[in-house]
């Protein structure tokens, strides 16, 4: 049986970063130094613990977030290693939703990269306190100070330099701890025993100056310390640590540490920082939800004595164990064998096996209490974002918001035998991944799968073939366009009247419709006055509008960024029904779209390309041919340039291959969805 830790001795943290900054290698070292593994895994060799899927090991990237529980200096650490590739951004999103703190890893050569900014913004959205780790300081061109500068300038953060590196690039061999004024070296190859020594004489003056700057910046964060600092009093190390901890918890400052995970340097000090500065479950604010019956706000404290409240943040279809739901307990405790109430779908289910997860290994538990993260087997009706609670004290937590898919392909089974297998695989994969959508095209009868990018869909199709044994034909990736209107339509008047043998059908609605700013979606406002339409039909009208918006009038793509105002109508005492008003709203919406000068919107991607200087001209030419709008360029360490551009997603298919050939394999690029913009291009289906 696993030892139970009090709240104060628990940490729920995630390792987040841009792709290839070294998250998985850092996680691997954490597991080794905390005694969870006895052999260090390697991303290149495909032997890491958290990258356990075949696709992850073959490509050397993280695809799904993996949860692990470990211990360090008598503290329990629940650790989630998240993906860095933008196609798997939902994995980061759902992990940050349930974590209390984050370790943000940066590449010491590149500093802040585009996906670093994305995960930082996601952490801001959920108010996740974080510490930073500048990795890869053994590489050519690595610079700790440059990385800190980019954290300050690009992220608008307040970084605190906690260490000075000893030795640069290949000669990197240790760090100076500025708080304790000691030098730490890693002399054995495994880095298992950090050696604490006095600061080298040639670095002592620099260390004193840097410490004075650090103490002044920490003092600025605490009113009591400001007084001591101005009066020239000595501020003790415990006082400095307490001030840093408070600043981290309130997101007013971020301590920055350094090292090289691959060369086994700096990770133990990072673990100490996790304990010293990141919050325990007792220090995060109480969770807020709503009563499903009265819609009133409910606050639940992080306590075992309160009623059960847990959030399911991930569903996994395990080929051996079956359907597994990862959850975070916010209050009370979840016990094996009890009936739990799912307040999101209002169903009761018996809790099967409760398990502590260690990547793809697991350990059975009798119960999992507040502040902890675990997984449960056997919940058939639960999905991502559902709340599990006590039926006597129900609460619904806010669901996790996920981005909309931007790319789709058609898929069909190769044989009749594959048909059922394909349907089963698609259902299970869409349950696991909320950004993976499946629908059948009404016009062609084709099964369409949608996702966040080429790699995302490629991985999912690969998983279908390997894990579910499905043989399928897959079409070429196509862009998921949207439709909208470009001008206001003051009045759309539609009367739905049908006369059949018995009761007829009568529904009459009057709308106004107008375009809204990008990213607004479909907004429905009800401004009916004087009872021209009874209240019981309002919901049907809104449903009709929302369903009609799923297919536009130009090419059947979803409609977005439109405000629909329902301000008048009429009804018949006998013939009116919810169905009649829903049909009237559907036809009125379509008519309004046609009157509003509809246009197609295409997804625009924010792209960053990093290349050696000599290839700049070729790469700019390539981007220009793909209809890119260059938004800026900046020099990077090592005679490199970073080109920033907005490019239509349709122009980015196959770009990785073209960039490699134009730069002899030395160019890299990253992209993320930026916004939708009008397109004049003809759609080629």
């Amino acid at each position: 049986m696993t030892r139970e830790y009090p709240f104060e001795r628990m940490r729920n943290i995630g390792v987040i970063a841009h792709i290839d900054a070294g998250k998985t290698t850092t996680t691997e070292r954490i597991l080794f130094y905390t005694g969870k593994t006895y052999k260090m895994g390697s991303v290149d060799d495909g032997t890491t613990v958290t990258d356990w899927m075949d696709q992850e090991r073959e490509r050397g990237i993280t695809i799904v977030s993996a949860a692990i529980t470990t211990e360090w200096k008598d503290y329990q650490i629940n650790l989630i290693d998240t993906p860095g590739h933008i196609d798997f951004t939902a994995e980061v999103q759902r992990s940050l939703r349930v974590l209390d703190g984050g370790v943000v890893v940066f590449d010491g050569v590149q500093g802040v990269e585009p996906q670093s900014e994305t995960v930082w913004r996601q952490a801001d959205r959920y108010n996740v306190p974080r510490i930073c780790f500048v990795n890869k300081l053994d590489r050519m061109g690595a610079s700790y100070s440059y990385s800190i500068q980019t954290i300050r300038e690009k992220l608008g953060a307040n970084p605190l330099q906690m260490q000075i590196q000893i030795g640069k690039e290949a000669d990197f061999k240790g760090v100076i701890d500025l708080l304790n004024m000691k030098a730490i070296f890693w002399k054995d190859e495994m880095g298992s025993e950090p050696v604490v020594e006095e600061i080298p004489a040639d670095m002592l003056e620099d260390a004193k100056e840097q410490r004075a700057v650090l103490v002044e910046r920490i003092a600025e964060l605490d009113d009591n310390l400001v007084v001591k600092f101005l009066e020239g009093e000595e501020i003790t190390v415990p006082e400095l640590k307490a001030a840093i901890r408070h600043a981290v918890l309130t997101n007013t400052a971020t301590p920055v540490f350094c090292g090289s995970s691959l060369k086994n340097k700096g990770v133990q000090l990072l673990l100490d920082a996790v304990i010293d500065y990141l919050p325990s479950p007792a220090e995060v604010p109480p969770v807020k939800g709503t009563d499903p019956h009265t819609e009133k706000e409910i606050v639940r404290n992080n306590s075992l004595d309160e009623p059960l409240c847990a959030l399911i943040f991930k569903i996994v279809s395990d080929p051996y164990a079956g359907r597994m739901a990862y959850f975070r307990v916010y209050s009370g405790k979840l016990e094996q064998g009890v009936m739990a109430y799912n307040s999101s779908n209002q169903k009761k289910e018996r809790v099967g096996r409760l398990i502590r997860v260690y990547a793809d290994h697991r350990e059975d538990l009798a119960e999992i209490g507040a502040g902890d993260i675990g997984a449960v087997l056997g919940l058939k009706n639960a999905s991502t974002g559902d709340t599990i609670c006590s039926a006597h004290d129900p609460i619904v937590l806010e669901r996790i918001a996920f981005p909309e898919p931007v790319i789709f392909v058609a898929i069909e089974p190769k044989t009749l035998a594959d048909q059922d297998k394909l349907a089963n695989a698609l259902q299970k994969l869409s349950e696991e991944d909320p950004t993976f959508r499946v629908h059948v095209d009404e016009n062609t009868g084709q099964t369409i799968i949608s996702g966040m990018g080429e790699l995302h869909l490629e991985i999912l199709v690969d998983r279908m073939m390997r894990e579910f044994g499905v043989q399928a034909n897959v079409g070429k990736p196509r862009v998921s366009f949207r439709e909208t209107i470009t001008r206001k339509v003051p009045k759309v008047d539609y009367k739905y009247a049908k006369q059949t043998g018995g009761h007829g059908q009568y529904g009459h609605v009057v709308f106004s419709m107008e375009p809204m700013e990008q990213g607004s979606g479909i907004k429905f406002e009800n401004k009916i006055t004087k009872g021209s339409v009874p209240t019981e039909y309002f919901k049907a009208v809104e449903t009709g509008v929302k369903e009609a918006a799923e297919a536009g009038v130009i090419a059947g793509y979803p409609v977005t960024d439109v405000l629909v105002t329902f301000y008048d109508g009429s009804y018949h005492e006998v013939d009116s029904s919810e169905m009649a008003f829903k049909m009237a709203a559907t036809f009125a919406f379509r008519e309004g779209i046609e009157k509003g000068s509809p246009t197609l919107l295409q997804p625009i991607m924010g792209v960053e390309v990093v290349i050696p200087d000599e290839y700049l001209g070729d790469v700019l030419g390539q981007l220009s041919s793909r209809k890119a709008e260059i938004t800026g360029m900046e020099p990077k360490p090592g005679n490199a340039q970073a080109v920033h551009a907005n490019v239509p997603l349709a122009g980015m298919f196959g770009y990785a291959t073209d960039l490699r050939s134009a730069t002899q394999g030395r160019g890299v690029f990253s992209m993320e969805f930026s916004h939708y913009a009008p397109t004049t291009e003809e759609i080629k289906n």
Side-chain angles (χ1 to χ4, degrees), residues 437-558:
R437 309 279 173 83
V438 183
H439 75 276
V440 175
D441 188 306
E442 288 181 7
N443 300 321
T444 64
Q446 287 180 305
T447 300
I448 305 294
I449 58 175
S450 313
M452 300 305 297
E454 284 181 279
L455 180 64
H456 186 204
L457 292 181
E458 186 186 317
I459 297 284
L460 287 163
V461 169
D462 193 27
R463 285 187 62 194
M464 265 182 245
M465 293 176 178
R466 293 194 198 196
E467 291 174 32
F468 300 95
V470 177
Q471 295 301 313
N473 296 319
V474 183
K476 285 186 178 176
R478 294 189 295 173
V479 175
S480 183
F481 290 87
R482 294 285 184 272
E483 298 183 20
T484 192
I485 57 175
T486 55
R487 63 186 177 87
K488 183 173 180 178
V489 182
K491 185 176 182 180
V492 184
D493 189 328
Y494 194 91
K495 204 174 278 184
Y496 181 79
K498 296 273 183 192
Q499 195 59 49
T500 51
H503 282 312
Q505 293 285 345
Y506 182 89
H508 176 211
V509 296
V510 184
F511 291 161
S512 70
M513 295 169 67
E514 58 188 284
M516 290 195 297
E517 61 185 31
Q518 288 170 356
S520 305
I522 295 291
K523 192 175 178 191
F524 179 83
E525 283 189 358
N526 183 354
K527 293 195 174 172
I528 289 284
T529 54
K530 302 176 190 168
S532 55
V533 175
T535 54
E536 66 256 35
Y537 300 133
F538 292 172
K539 192 70 184 168
V541 173
E542 184 174 355
T543 303
V545 166
K546 296 278 172 73
E547 287 186 7
E550 290 173 10
V553 298
I554 302 175
Y557 288 105

